[in-house]
Amino acid sequence: MLGAGLLPLALAGCGSDPTISEDPDELVLWFWDRSASRDLLEQASQEIPGTDRHLRADVIGTSFDTKLRTSLAGDAYIPDITYINSNNALYFTNEDLFLDLSELGADSVKDDYYEWKWNLGTTPTGRFCFFPLDIGPTGYFYRQDIFEEAGLPSTPAEVSAAITTWEDWIALGTELKGAADAFLVNDALNVFEEFLNASPERFFDTDDKALYLRPDSAVRQAWDTSVAAVEAGVTAKIPRERDTDRNAAWASGRTAGNIGAAWWAQVLQQSAPDTAGAWRLASQPVRPGNSGGSFAALPHTCKDPEAALAFITWINSPENQAAAYQDESLFPSTPASFEDLTYSGDFYGDQDPLAFFSTAAESVPSSFISNAETFIMGKFVLELSNVETSGKDSEAAWNDAIGQAERVLLKRGVFS
């Protein structure tokens, strides 16, 4: 069993009525800003369609997980419905504190969603506790003008065909660096993360057996690919914390690309507005992955689970996910939503990001993200940074990451 579940807090509210709202007809939702359409929440505040209940939507700030975990641990002040970010694995060790939505009939809409996203909401024991909200299918953003000036493949079809493998992608980056003195991405972590986000295998299997220790594991392949990118000189070596430098690199053309999710399309437009019309989208090496997205869940104290599920399925219907995309740029997890959406803009030339990412989402593999991964991912990130920015020997860095990970897992009671 995994260690480090919810904190065993002895709160003052423990044993008291866990309900937030005293109104018997009001269901309380916890969410964070811009994670839901305000217009749809306003409709539900009058009446949740198909029920005689209404919704109260409370915005929770940056301490969302801490507040939710504390409330669950103390059995007090628990919402009837809660949104949960892409880190839903954090709650796997305490899945009994959430209702199994399949037992309430959620499977009746299962076919409306991308299968891989639905699967991410299932716990290791097979309980479906986390309902799909938005998603983050990925691709390779690149500067077409810089690629063209360097004499490289430059149209989306040409670039996609030229980078079907990671080795091809790095080779293209070597040519780009030589011809245009530009980098493929800002840092090696971009490669490491998106390699794993596109992999059917990650750090652990559903029994929390450590897959990353195998010589040919996906984690080791992601590491070796990232190190190869560093050694080839195709990363700009700009750390994540230096946001201003990273944005400046994209704006100036020093960095001519990024492997990113659908939501990054808007981030890029805000970060480098003067580059409008120069950017394009190509398929990333091997296959697309998923980065980000969120879920909805019902705590076990929910006062009316049937009405709560009615709200979740209503606000996440294909029609309403299309509306949420228009309101908040939340990329739909329901393929049918794209029948109601159109893209207008020229930031990506005549390319349609909606069409690109909705197609990419069809090929994202199903994978399992273990709660234990959250304990050790940072060890590999730190050591990879040491390789890239400090010149640390990559094999020594890998061994140090493994050692640090093992110590953390042992301390937390995760046996591999």
Side-chain angles (χ1 to χ4, degrees), residues 5-9 11 30-32 60-79 82-85 87 90-91 94 97-98:
L6 294 180
L7 298 175
L9 302 177
L11 301 184
W30 278 5
F31 74 116
W32 54 92
I60 308 299
T62 55
S63 59
F64 191 97
D65 283 313
T66 299
K67 186 175 180 65
L68 178 59
R69 285 162 63 83
T70 300
S71 295
L72 290 169
D75 196 31
Y77 204 75
I78 303 172
T82 184
Y83 279 10
I84 290 175
N85 220 319
N87 63 344
L90 180 69
Y91 298 89
N94 301 100
L97 298 181
F98 298 94

Side-chain angles (χ1 to χ4, degrees), residues 140 142-153 159 172 176 256:
Y140 182 59
Y142 72 96
R143 285 280 298 269
Q144 183 178 36
D145 56 333
I146 296 175
F147 276 49
E148 187 173 13
E149 290 171 6
L152 301 175
V159 175
L172 186 70
L176 177 69

Side-chain angles (χ1 to χ4, degrees), residues 286-346:
V286 185
R287 69 177 73 85
N290 178 73
S291 176
S294 50
F295 301 86
L298 303 183
H300 69 108
T301 53
C302 177
K303 70 175 64 168
D304 188 339
E306 288 76 18
L309 181 63
F311 166 75
I312 291 174
T313 54
W314 168 76
I315 200 170
N316 290 294
S317 68
E319 178 184 3
N320 283 339
Q321 284 210 31
Y325 178 80
Q326 293 173 325
D327 292 347
E328 301 290 354
S329 298
L330 297 168
F331 202 81
S333 57
T334 45
S337 295
F338 300 101
E339 298 172 5
D340 299 325
L341 291 172
T342 57
Y343 172 76
S344 60
D346 58 4

Side-chain angles (χ1 to χ4, degrees), residues 42-250:
E42 176 60 30
Q43 291 181 48
S45 72
Q46 304 302 313
E47 182 179 80
I48 297 171
T51 78
D52 58 1
R53 307 285 190 177
H54 61 274
L55 186 80
R56 187 182 109 194
D58 292 352
V59 176
I60 308 299
T62 55
S63 59
F64 191 97
D65 283 313
T66 299
K67 186 175 180 65
L68 178 59
R69 285 162 63 83
T70 300
S71 295
L72 290 169
D75 196 31
Y77 204 75
I78 303 172
D80 298 291
I81 309 164
T82 184
Y83 279 10
I84 290 175
N85 220 319
S86 56
N87 63 344
N88 63 312
L90 180 69
Y91 298 89
F92 283 173
T93 53
N94 301 100
E95 62 177 277
D96 59 316
L97 298 181
F98 298 94
L99 299 179
D100 184 341
L101 304 179
S102 291
E103 295 180 355
L104 298 173
D107 288 352
S108 64
V109 296
K110 180 177 181 179
D111 291 343
D112 291 343
Y113 297 80
Y114 290 109
E115 181 180 8
W116 58 266
K117 177 66 174 184
W118 190 275
N119 291 342
L120 284 173
T122 303
T123 71
T125 64
R127 298 176 72 242
F128 180 65
C129 296
F130 306 98
F131 195 93
L133 302 185
D134 56 309
I135 59 175
T138 60
Y140 182 59
F141 293 77
Y142 72 96
R143 285 280 298 269
Q144 183 178 36
D145 56 333
I146 296 175
F147 276 49
E148 187 173 13
E149 290 171 6
L152 301 175
S154 59
T155 68
E158 290 171 344
V159 175
S160 296
I163 59 172
T164 58
T165 69
W166 288 103
E167 292 79 9
D168 290 340
W169 181 76
I170 293 172
L172 186 70
T174 302
E175 293 184 57
L176 177 69
K177 184 68 172 63
D181 196 25
F183 301 95
L184 281 180
V185 291
N186 269 336
D187 63 11
L189 180 55
N190 187 228
V191 182
F192 186 72
E193 287 180 335
E194 301 309 337
F195 186 110
L196 288 177
N197 285 337
S199 174
E201 174 191 302
R202 295 179 67 96
F203 284 83
F204 298 87
D205 64 15
T206 55
D207 295 321
D208 281 312
K209 182 177 181 180
L211 302 175
Y212 70 93
L213 295 175
R214 298 174 179 174
D216 61 345
S217 71
V219 176
R220 182 65 205 231
Q221 292 177 47
W223 176 276
D224 289 343
T225 300
S226 304
V227 170
V230 171
E231 293 176 345
V234 303
T235 70
K237 302 182 180 180
I238 304 176
R240 292 286 171 93
E241 60 270 18
R242 287 163 49 186
D243 288 342
T244 301
D245 291 344
R246 295 168 67 82
N247 292 343
W250 285 314

